[in-house]
Amino acid sequence: MDAVENAVTPAAPSTVANGTSSAIIVEEFEDLASLVRDDEASVSITVVGASGDLAKKKIFPALFALYYEGCLPKHFSIFGYARSKMTDAELRDMVSKTLTCRIDKRENCSEKMEEFLKRCFYHSGQYDSEEDFKELGKKIKQHEGPRVSNHLFYLSIPPNIFLDVVKCASKSASSVSGWTRVIVEKPFGRDSESSAALTKGLKQIDHYLGKELVENLSVLRFSNLVFEPLWSRQYIRNVQLIFSEDFGTEGRGGYFDSYGIIRDIMQNHLLQILALFAMETPISLEAEDIRNEKVKVLRSMKPLRLEDVVIGQYKSHTKGGITYPGYTEDKTVPKGSLTPTFAAAALFINNARWDGVPFLMKAGKALHTKQAEIRVQFRHVPGNLYKGSFGTDLDRATNELVIRVQPDEGIYLKINNKIPGLGMRLDRSNLNLHYAARYPKEIPDAYERLLLDAIEGERRLFIRSDELDAAWELFTPLLKELEQKRMAPELYPYGSRGPVGAHYLAAKYNVRWGDLGGSEH
């Protein structure tokens, strides 16, 4: 999801998120934000595009989870808005099918569901009609009564129509006494120019990085003396940021085809994790101090060269008697499309801490596994006394820190140890923190965190407009070159480990992808 915060002028546009966690929030009035949890204030949450898959599968269940946990304000209402004709009862019936009591308490679940659904309402209207939004505004007002009102809009709609929605919502359905915030679907624009055009009406934009483990990355590094001295070119040989999905576009290719994997995942999600990983120690944990350090990282990155990038596209593959369709076989994808569904890149940071350290990034669809992780490979031990025990493959003896974001969130450190017995035989083991085993309490879904942070005005996980500009400046020249030269992506079979070119790219910098080696955990 990507998240944005902003003082919105009446006609200003804004933005937010998908399953990978990046969002945008736009904010109208700040002075009364402190009242959001006050008994006298109300929060009205409008899900625009309420009949779509994202709303049904993610947004409404996340709102229910927050309600179940007692995280929503006392006075709240939820409104669904879409073009489809639907009654309040039909919306409630649709929403009820996707609500689950996966939260650890589990008691009174059906009662809680009924109470939650009573607060859900529906309004049908066009996305570019100020009149329809004015009617929505009246309906919201009826439920709010005389209290201070705060409005949150979640735009679960394609990016090409959110400008219309924000303009209409801002003019006709924004709060007159509290704040108004908007969350919209990433990616934010297609390049520097379109991003700047979208930003024009916004004073400030923040992209959201969800994921519990991203926060834990800061804690791991800055509160453990054992790691902070090692966090530099002196001890780290390379850093890998890996995102893979084991499914293709599955009928959503039309949307994906206009953006591709680089815009969808790399330019925002992975690049922001890289900035968080590589930044200097901030002055404090205040949002602005963290953002200042992240911007410095992005601005000191070397321009991306075409020879440091590999793109791929999945093709049809038959496995176990089942044929999985290729990307261009998806009926929603234009024939002969060159849009990459896989990309790998080598990035470098020109500063004293990271000079010469390759940051390897890869993201892809229809690969052999679903995972998101950061891998830190440390240098070889100088004058290693035990190199004879490892043979010529010194890489096997390298310490590696793995921060796994999904699935099974955890952190593990690969170390070398002696196998008990009379001989000198060495082995590699993992010192493992598996979150689910260590902390059986449910880890909040990224959408729950996003919505709660948007309601409470929490900014630490959001990025601002100069970060967005720096990220686009890094990727826009590359994207334009790929499209102007009509670079053909290397084909890889559905369910494979991706294009061979990614291995050559890593080998060029004397690196092996850590997620492809032997046994893990």
Side-chain angles (χ1 to χ4, degrees):
M1 285 157 276
D2 299 335
V4 179
E5 282 255 27
N6 166 58
V8 178
T9 50
S14 73
T15 12
V16 136
N18 78 8
T20 41
S21 220
S22 300
I24 301 174
I25 300 181
V26 186
E27 184 160 25
E28 209 160 335
F29 301 103
E30 273 252 310
D31 49 336
L32 294 168
S34 58
L35 295 173
V36 71
R37 304 287 292 200
D38 191 320
D39 281 352
E40 296 311 306
S42 69
V43 173
S44 298
I45 301 161
T46 303
V47 181
V48 181
S51 54
D53 265 6
L54 179 66
K56 285 189 280 197
K57 293 177 182 173
K58 292 287 186 182
I59 314 307
F60 285 109
L63 287 167
F64 173 63
L66 289 174
Y67 174 66
Y68 192 99
E69 290 282 345
C71 293
L72 290 181
K74 181 179 171 185
H75 302 292
F76 79 91
S77 304
I78 295 168
F79 296 85
Y81 184 97
R83 289 180 295 211
S84 316
K85 299 289 181 197
M86 213 188 299
T87 62
D88 291 348
E90 285 169 331
L91 173 79
R92 289 166 186 167
D93 181 56
M94 179 189 84
V95 168
S96 66
K97 293 184 172 74
T98 60
L99 300 186
T100 56
C101 289
R102 58 165 192 74
I103 302 99
D104 54 340
K105 296 176 196 163
R106 298 181 198 285
E107 71 266 11
N108 305 328
C109 185
S110 54
E111 289 170 38
K112 286 277 192 185
M113 273 190 192
E114 277 180 42
E115 290 165 18
F116 175 79
L117 290 168
K118 279 178 191 166
R119 302 212 194 186
C120 294
F121 307 94
Y122 186 77
H123 187 77
S124 170
Q126 296 300 311
Y127 294 132
D128 58 355
S129 166
E130 283 183 27
E131 200 53 48
D132 289 346
F133 273 93
K134 195 175 283 180
E135 290 303 311
L136 170 68
K138 285 178 189 170
K139 196 176 278 189
I140 291 173
K141 186 69 188 155
Q142 284 168 10
H143 289 279
E144 286 171 339
R147 300 181 191 90
V148 168
S149 63
N150 298 312
H151 293 183
L152 176 66
F153 290 87
Y154 197 116
L155 272 53
S156 178
I157 52 176
N160 60 323
I161 53 176
F162 72 65
L163 284 174
D164 290 336
V165 170
V166 176
K167 184 179 174 185
C168 295
S170 182
K171 274 191 175 176
S172 309
S174 60
S175 169
V176 292
S177 58
W179 49 252
T180 298
R181 294 176 186 150
V182 182
I183 302 181
V184 304
E185 190 74 31
K186 73 158 180 65
F188 192 70
R190 299 191 79 255
D191 50 30
S192 298
E193 290 83 3
S194 57
S195 174
L198 293 174
T199 310
K200 212 169 185 179
L202 297 172
K203 303 287 186 298
Q204 185 186 351
I205 296 181
D206 302 332
H207 279 240
Y208 184 78
L209 274 177
K211 293 301 180 195
E212 188 85 1
L213 216 61
V214 172
E215 288 178 313
N216 290 340
L217 175 59
S218 299
V219 175
L220 178 76
R221 177 179 165 191
F222 296 126
S223 71
N224 292 293
L225 182 62
V226 69
F227 290 123
E228 179 53 24
L230 305 179
W231 223 258
S232 73
R233 63 190 296 275
Q234 198 171 349
Y235 295 102
I236 292 178
R237 197 158 50 110
N238 67 78
V239 179
Q240 302 175 18
L241 299 108
I242 297 164
F243 177 93
S244 66
E245 291 177 332
D246 55 2
F247 52 89
T249 51
E250 330 283 276
R252 287 188 69 249
Y255 162 75
F256 180 83
D257 197 74
S258 61
Y259 289 95
I261 199 77
I262 296 177
R263 292 182 179 93
D264 197 40
I265 303 295
M266 273 192 169
Q267 179 273 335
N268 46 65
H269 191 60
L270 292 185
L271 192 60
Q272 291 309 316
I273 293 176
L274 185 157
L276 200 66
F277 176 95
M279 71 182 183
E280 296 297 316
T281 309
I283 297 166
S284 77
L285 290 175
E286 290 300 312
E288 286 307 299
D289 293 332
I290 291 173
R291 290 156 157 182
N292 288 342
E293 297 305 331
K294 285 166 67 187
V295 171
K296 285 180 194 171
V297 171
L298 294 174
R299 290 180 62 192
S300 25
M301 295 188 76
K302 282 185 186 175
L304 256 173
R305 302 178 308 166
L306 199 57
E307 56 264 37
D308 282 335
V309 176
V310 169
I311 56 170
Q313 189 185 88
Y314 65 88
K315 62 180 182 181
S316 175
H317 181 59
T318 303
K319 191 176 180 183
I322 301 169
T323 299
Y324 298 91
Y327 175 69
T328 51
E329 290 167 33
D330 183 329
K331 289 184 175 61
T332 60
V333 172
K335 287 279 170 275
S337 170
L338 297 176
T339 299
T341 59
F342 175 100
L347 300 100
F348 293 87
I349 302 169
N350 277 336
N351 66 16
R353 184 183 288 270
W354 298 112
D355 186 37
V357 176
F359 283 77
L360 286 138
M361 202 185 264
K362 71 172 172 179
K365 289 185 172 292
L367 294 168
H368 69 299
T369 184
K370 179 182 179 180
Q371 65 183 19
E373 60 187 20
I374 305 163
R375 287 177 168 265
V376 185
Q377 293 187 348
F378 293 93
R379 295 195 178 279
H380 301 131
V381 176
N384 193 335
L385 294 171
Y386 296 101
K387 61 184 174 191
S389 307
F390 288 104
T392 55
D393 192 357
L394 274 181
D395 281 349
R396 281 192 55 75
T398 302
N399 298 122
E400 188 174 18
L401 175 67
V402 182
I403 300 158
R404 194 170 53 239
V405 183
Q406 67 177 33
D408 300 328
E409 284 154 299
I411 299 168
Y412 58 98
L413 178 66
K414 296 188 174 187
I415 62 160
N416 301 314
N417 59 279
K418 178 183 179 294
I419 297 172
L422 298 175
M424 176 53 78
R425 290 172 58 224
L426 300 193
D427 192 17
R428 296 190 79 193
S429 303
N430 294 334
L431 300 180
N432 197 344
L433 166 60
H434 181 216
Y435 275 76
R438 177 72 177 84
Y439 305 104
K441 184 173 164 55
E442 191 82 37
I443 295 172
D445 177 80
Y447 284 88
E448 293 166 37
R449 290 295 303 271
L450 166 65
L451 288 157
L452 187 60
D453 286 347
I455 290 168
E456 295 191 329
E458 166 61 67
R459 285 189 176 81
R460 262 178 304 180
L461 284 175
F462 295 78
I463 74 161
R464 65 184 181 214
S465 54
D466 54 347
E467 287 182 79
L468 188 63
D469 293 344
W472 274 122
E473 277 170 25
L474 188 64
F475 276 96
T476 295
L478 169 79
L479 288 162
K480 287 197 166 162
E481 195 174 352
L482 284 171
E483 283 161 11
Q484 281 163 5
K485 293 184 175 175
R486 292 191 54 78
M487 301 289 291
E490 182 185 337
L491 298 178
Y492 61 95
Y494 192 118
S496 69
R497 292 170 182 262
V500 178
H503 301 281
Y504 288 120
L505 175 65
K508 179 169 144 185
Y509 293 104
N510 201 21
V511 175
R512 279 185 205 182
W513 290 107
D515 61 322
L516 303 180
S519 62
E520 284 299 300
H521 354 298

